[in-house]
Amino acid sequence: FVGVLTLSFLVGGLVTSLIDRVNADVIESRERAKLSYGIYQDINAKLTDPEQEAARRWILMHISIKKEEEDLHDWYERTQQKIMAVDDETQDGIPEGQKAVKMTLNLFDYIGFIAKNYWDIEDDSLEWLGLPIAKIWRRLAPYVVEVRRQRNADDYYVFAEFIGKLCIDWRKKRGLP
């Protein structure tokens, strides 16, 4: 009788432990999904902010994609002139191009930092993020590389580079432009 009772306690304990583990996994999965959705909402709000959209539009209209045969220094000089050009719409003495590039790189750096450290970024997220980031990163990557070299600052927008490359690579693997 004592053996049966001991066996039933042991089996009951194992079943209870298994149920607790499954429940903990379900709770953890729900928490991760909730966190991921919160990150998505935050990034979506930042990406769709009218000022951010205007900054990316400025980049698309004024900065060309560096061709492989182009000299980086020459491309950078032409691009820097466009970025630093002062026009009638310049407020507070900072050129519109400089604001657009800085604002966009700061956003990409933020997204890249979150993606690398806190967000289990998946295909559906890259499908959503990929196009707007890849289009801009193709234009800004050589600029960042040259500024990094000039300043001797290896950490200059490294997280922006991370997310930019991630989005470009993801799109290439799927045959997307």
Side-chain angles (χ1 to χ4, degrees):
F1 175 75
V2 172
V4 172
L5 190 58
T6 303
L7 182 61
S8 66
F9 278 131
L10 181 62
V11 170
L14 287 173
V15 169
T16 301
S17 177
L18 180 62
I19 290 170
D20 287 346
R21 180 72 245 155
V22 168
N23 285 339
D25 288 346
V26 168
I27 289 169
E28 183 180 333
S29 176
R30 285 181 184 159
E31 288 299 317
R32 254 186 297 175
K34 197 168 146 182
L35 176 63
S36 187
Y37 183 67
I39 291 170
Y40 161 83
Q41 285 182 309
D42 185 49
I43 290 173
N44 183 59
K46 290 179 185 327
L47 273 174
T48 58
D49 176 76
E51 235 184 330
Q52 286 287 346
E53 288 177 336
R56 291 194 305 278
R57 195 169 26 260
W58 189 95
I59 290 166
L60 289 171
M61 290 171 40
H62 294 92
I63 298 179
S64 62
I65 295 173
K66 181 192 164 296
K67 295 172 182 65
E68 284 192 38
E69 67 276 1
E70 267 184 294
D71 178 67
L72 176 60
H73 181 73
D74 293 342
W75 177 90
Y76 173 81
E77 287 302 320
R78 284 191 314 276
T79 301
Q80 183 68 354
Q81 284 179 351
K82 292 176 189 174
I83 290 170
M84 298 307 289
V86 177
D87 58 21
D88 294 338
E89 295 183 29
T90 300
Q91 298 171 357
D92 65 20
I94 299 173
E96 182 182 9
Q98 184 181 11
K99 281 183 189 176
V101 169
K102 184 169 180 58
M103 182 181 291
T104 301
L105 286 174
N106 285 342
L107 175 62
F108 286 8
D109 218 35
Y110 168 79
I111 293 171
F113 179 81
I114 296 297
K116 188 167 187 165
N117 295 296
Y118 299 105
W119 193 13
D120 292 333
I121 196 160
E122 298 169 356
D123 279 351
D124 57 344
S125 299
L126 286 170
E127 185 175 350
W128 164 67
L129 284 173
L131 181 60
I133 291 178
K135 281 192 324 189
I136 300 299
W137 188 249
R138 284 188 181 100
R139 288 164 168 78
L140 292 182
Y143 181 82
V144 168
V145 167
E146 181 60 14
V147 172
R148 192 180 285 160
R149 185 196 64 76
Q150 288 179 7
R151 294 181 181 181
N152 195 25
D154 294 338
D155 60 347
Y156 183 77
Y157 288 115
V158 291
F159 294 110
E161 181 178 39
F162 169 78
I163 196 66
K165 284 181 174 181
L166 185 68
C167 290
I168 288 171
D169 292 346
W170 185 89
R171 292 184 64 75
K172 277 183 185 173
K173 286 178 189 172
R174 282 151 187 79
L176 300 169

